[in-house]
Amino acid sequence: MIAELLVPFGYDYMLKAMWVSALVGGVCAFLSAYLVMKGWSLMGDALAHSVVPGVAGAYILGVPFAVGAFFSGILASLGMAFVRQHSRLREDAVIGIVFTSLFALGLLMASIWPTSVSVQSIVLGNILAISDEDVVQVAIISAISLCLLLLKWKDLMITFFDEAYARSIGLNTTMLKALFFTLLSACTVAALQTVGACLVIAMVVTPGATAYLLTDRFGRLIVISILLGAGTSFVGAYLSYFIDGATGGVIVSLQTLLFLAAFVFAPKHGILAGRRRAAMAGAPA
Amino acid sequence: MNMIAGSASASAGVLGQPGASISVRGLTVTYNTGLTAVHDASFELDPGTICALVGVNGSGKSTIFKAIMGFVTPAAGDIRLSGRPVAEAVRRNVVAYVPQSEDIDWNFPVLVEDVVMMGRYGHMNFLRIPSRADRYKVDAALERVGMGEYRTRQIGELSGGQKKRVFLARALAQEGSIILLDEPFTGVDVKTETAIISLLRELRTAGHLMLISTHNLGSVPDFCDQVVLLNRTVLAAGPTAEVFTQANLERAFGGVLRQFNLGGAALHDDEDPRGLTVLTDDERPLVIYGDRKGQSALPAKRPDEPKS
Ligand SMILES: Nc1ncnc2c1ncn2[C@@H]1O[C@H](COP(=O)(O)OP(=O)(O)OP(=O)(O)O)[C@@H](O)[C@H]1O
Ligand SMILES: [Mg+2]
């Protein structure tokens, strides 16, 4: 029985999948703490879909997928900022337009120039078949992002909490926001490999949302979020050995389960806690 | 509410710096809507001063604050803070600013003490790890505004006046020698107002320079030694006794001011020729007891005022 449970650890490809997933899951969860707080959750989804043409283009041109994906991610961010500034449309409409058009372009490119990589592996991800080359790319992206976030997390927190104040103590908020979106683009690219474009949104939203229900301090929110993201990704990749495939599905299902648990049982912000407080307030003294 | 009268020496650090001063010369600010909110405004302020910025809604008070903080770029003119250009002064934490209203997400997961700690960030190294001294200063700032017992509340779980006090504490923790307060008394009860005013007096003794916008005309003569009257430009600036007169106020407020004149038999039946004038724009009224329009306001003594 125990021997059976340890089987995945005996395979190189499984070990690789588990560690890479955990790393990517952790970094995405770090970013999710900020996205959730700013109400920019959809931005993660938009970026994930927008990098598809970049990935397709990179395979066609034979350059590393990260280069292409990153390039189109930045293009999407700039596009959204530009349309937002020069029209009276609201953020959600702008995001919707920009990312669907880029996603459509990606599908079109992949069908006109059939490549060795199927679009399906971009859209759904396939961590179990990740190549060594891609592992290196993903690991480098995640490690750099993690370092920058650890150095700048407080500056980013002030920028997101109170931008005017951040400027008033001499922080360069424009640079900090640019840094954040660059990291977000880079990490969605990394997450594409593990869970695919459709589910990246879960990686950059759910852990932060869950942690937000559990604490009132931003530092702790980040720690909880990273633990959730990395833990579910590791376990999800492990479980997918037994369920046979669909790593992204397993990871995101786990994250959803934890979210539901927090939603119901969270000590202060959960449903039950709210009921308990209401009952106590109603009870005669 | 108990504002601990912290010793003035807690902020004596600013005395080590060259005197806090504000110099605004020929300031013109035009918003990108094309509206010129402030035109050719000039005034000078010295250390150890509390200066009131007074004018009608839309007269450009907040705009002047934003220009001093470098949030809007002046179309013309020059601003110096303690002799330094704005950007440099802001970088050196010379100036702390409490805006009229906080444009923040009140559900953000930060506690009261976390917000006040943000006041110390400008003094920390690039990793922003608070030292023991930083923690001590946060404690002191919280106690000074009487918010010590609320320190572990999430920032959204406070009343409007309590929120204001937290942001005042953040400005105190920042230890700028220049402090800008945009309408600190709106939505604040009289007790808190009195406590804030005595706090400001302490800071003045310690050599700080404070610029405060207010519609609270009645309390201006109590604690402000300088007044800048504003209406798109500086109408008058100088010592309260010279500038804060009925004639000047009527010029600054035009028809907006509510005015009640009581004199002669309506007021008293003795030989006293003086009349009573009550001027108010919306909050605490200004009471002038005298016969000449040019006469300055009598500071109404506050119970807490130190006998000087
Ligand atoms: N961001 C902005 N863009 C365009 N115009 C603005 C902006 N902010 C203020 N204004 C305009 O500039 C003028 C001065 O505004 P300001 O906020 O400085 O007034 P104020 O004296 O602070 O008024 P209040 O007493 O209401 O706080 C007003 O006419 C206002 O409409
Ligand atoms: Mg204003």
Side-chain angles (χ1 to χ4, degrees):
Chain A
M1 173 68 192
I2 298 273
E4 213 166 287
L5 289 179
L6 289 178
V7 169
F9 293 99
Y11 291 103
D12 244 10
Y13 80 96
M14 276 311 298
L15 279 175
K16 230 165 33 189
M18 287 187 281
W19 286 115
V20 170
S21 301
L23 185 61
V24 172
V27 183
C28 286
F30 205 142
L31 293 165
S32 78
Y34 294 92
L35 276 185
V36 168
M37 283 331 301
K38 203 62 187 170
W40 283 346
S41 305
L42 283 178
M43 199 73 107
D45 201 22
L47 281 176
H49 285 79
S50 312
V51 298
V52 173
V55 175
Y59 277 112
I60 294 166
L61 298 176
V63 295
F65 81 93
V67 176
F70 189 62
F71 186 72
S72 57
I74 297 291
L75 196 72
S77 310
L78 290 179
M80 285 187 257
F82 184 81
V83 178
R84 176 80 193 78
Q85 250 169 29
H86 296 274
S87 76
R88 35 184 296 177
L89 290 170
R90 279 174 202 268
E91 205 120 66
D92 57 342
V94 176
I95 291 176
I97 292 167
V98 170
F99 95 74
T100 46
S101 26
L102 281 166
F103 189 56
L105 178 68
L107 291 179
L108 200 66
M109 283 167 70
S111 54
I112 294 177
W113 296 286
T115 49
S116 58
V117 58
S118 67
V119 169
Q120 197 182 350
S121 77
I122 305 174
V123 174
L124 295 179
N126 190 2
I127 184 69
L128 299 184
I130 192 169
S131 71
D132 278 343
E133 209 176 305
D134 287 350
V135 168
V136 173
Q137 276 183 31
V138 168
I140 291 176
I141 294 174
S142 310
I144 293 177
S145 307
L146 202 59
C147 287
L148 286 170
L149 284 171
L150 284 174
L151 284 178
K152 288 287 169 199
W153 76 269
K154 281 191 175 171
D155 291 11
L156 284 168
M157 174 182 80
I158 302 192
T159 304
F160 278 41
F161 171 63
D162 190 346
E163 193 174 338
Y165 181 72
R167 263 183 290 153
S168 84
I169 57 170
L171 294 182
N172 188 339
T173 55
T174 316
M175 278 297 292
L176 283 165
K177 282 198 285 189
L179 171 75
F180 181 80
F181 282 109
T182 310
L183 292 182
L184 186 63
S185 306
C187 290
T188 42
V189 174
L192 280 181
Q193 292 274 311
T194 39
V195 295
C198 290
L199 290 179
V200 165
I201 172 94
M203 302 282 277
V204 293
V205 173
T206 316
T210 310
Y212 180 43
L213 296 176
L214 296 174
T215 178
D216 276 339
R217 302 195 87 157
F218 198 70
R220 287 182 201 166
L221 191 154
I222 289 178
V223 173
I224 297 174
S225 181
I226 293 176
L227 289 178
L228 289 174
T232 51
S233 302
F234 190 90
V235 174
Y238 167 81
L239 286 179
S240 70
Y241 174 83
F242 299 99
I243 319 178
D244 207 13
T247 321
V250 182
I251 293 175
V252 174
S253 304
L254 282 177
Q255 293 187 345
T256 310
L257 281 179
L258 290 178
F259 173 78
L260 289 175
F263 184 62
V264 177
F265 298 111
K268 184 172 165 196
H269 302 291
I271 295 185
L272 290 184
R275 289 250 175 90
R276 212 161 40 234
R277 270 195 303 275
M280 259 155 71
Chain B
M1 225 239 10
N2 54 328
M3 284 209 196
I4 300 220
S7 72
S9 68
S11 38
V14 296
L15 289 176
Q17 296 176 14
S21 66
I22 298 179
S23 154
V24 174
R25 289 204 201 112
L27 177 71
T28 299
V29 178
T30 305
Y31 283 107
N32 45 21
T33 53
L35 180 116
T36 298
V38 174
H39 177 71
D40 195 21
S42 304
F43 58 91
E44 307 271 337
L45 298 169
D46 297 325
T49 304
I50 302 178
C51 174
L53 195 55
V54 175
V56 290
N57 289 143
S59 57
K61 300 183 294 293
S62 299
T63 304
I64 287 200
F65 284 127
K66 287 185 221 161
I68 293 178
M69 291 306 296
F71 293 168
V72 294
T73 318
D78 183 48
I79 302 176
R80 300 257 150 188
L81 305 174
S82 301
R84 298 196 173 94
V86 167
E88 193 193 328
V90 165
R91 223 178 20 251
R92 287 171 178 259
N93 280 291
V94 168
V95 49
Y97 168 52
V98 183
Q100 186 167 6
S101 59
E102 298 289 342
D103 179 20
I104 63 166
D105 173 8
W106 295 104
N107 288 318
F108 204 93
V110 286
L111 307 184
V112 167
E113 58 182 11
D114 298 334
V115 172
V116 180
M117 185 59 89
M118 289 178 192
R120 300 297 309 155
Y121 278 25
H123 298 277
M124 298 177 193
N125 67 8
F126 72 103
L127 279 178
R128 319 275 179 207
I129 296 169
S131 69
R132 181 181 281 167
D134 291 324
R135 288 182 208 287
Y136 171 77
K137 282 168 181 164
V138 168
D139 291 349
L142 277 169
E143 289 306 327
R144 286 185 113 183
V145 300
M147 288 296 290
E149 55 189 301
Y150 297 91
R151 57 182 309 147
T152 54
R153 287 263 192 107
Q154 193 266 332
I155 185 71
E157 298 166 357
L158 299 174
S159 77
Q162 289 168 340
K163 285 173 184 163
K164 269 211 131 91
R165 278 147 66 186
V166 171
F167 287 95
L168 180 62
R170 181 171 74 178
L172 292 179
Q174 208 175 332
E175 291 189 321
S177 51
I178 301 173
I179 301 176
L180 309 178
L181 302 171
D182 199 350
E183 304 202 13
F185 304 128
T186 30
V188 162
D189 60 27
V190 177
K191 211 168 152 191
T192 309
E193 181 187 324
T194 311
I196 292 178
I197 288 177
S198 65
L199 179 61
L200 298 178
R201 285 203 184 103
E202 278 170 34
L203 293 171
R204 170 171 62 192
T205 316
H208 288 257
L209 165 56
M210 282 147 285
L211 184 59
I212 298 166
S213 80
T214 180
H215 290 285
N216 220 338
L217 300 183
S219 49
V220 167
D222 300 357
F223 72 102
C224 300
D225 18 45
Q226 299 266 324
V227 175
V228 172
L229 281 178
L230 203 65
N231 197 354
R232 321 282 298 272
T233 186
V234 174
L235 299 176
T240 309
E242 289 166 26
V243 172
F244 208 62
T245 59
Q246 188 178 346
N248 273 339
L249 284 171
E250 279 175 5
R251 212 148 58 86
F253 285 84
V256 182
L257 225 49
R258 278 190 290 283
Q259 178 175 347
F260 311 93
N261 270 306
L262 303 170
L267 184 65
H268 39 56
D269 52 11
D270 55 22
E271 294 302 299
D272 192 342
R274 288 180 297 173
L276 179 68
T277 308
V278 181
L279 291 178
T280 174
D281 79 330
D282 64 348
E283 291 179 12
R284 191 192 287 246
L286 173 69
V287 181
I288 296 174
Y289 193 45
D291 54 354
R292 280 178 298 116
K293 278 209 163 182
Q295 189 155 351
S296 74
L298 299 169
K301 281 282 179 207
R302 281 173 175 272
D304 59 300
E305 193 167 17
K307 288 163 201 73
S308 47

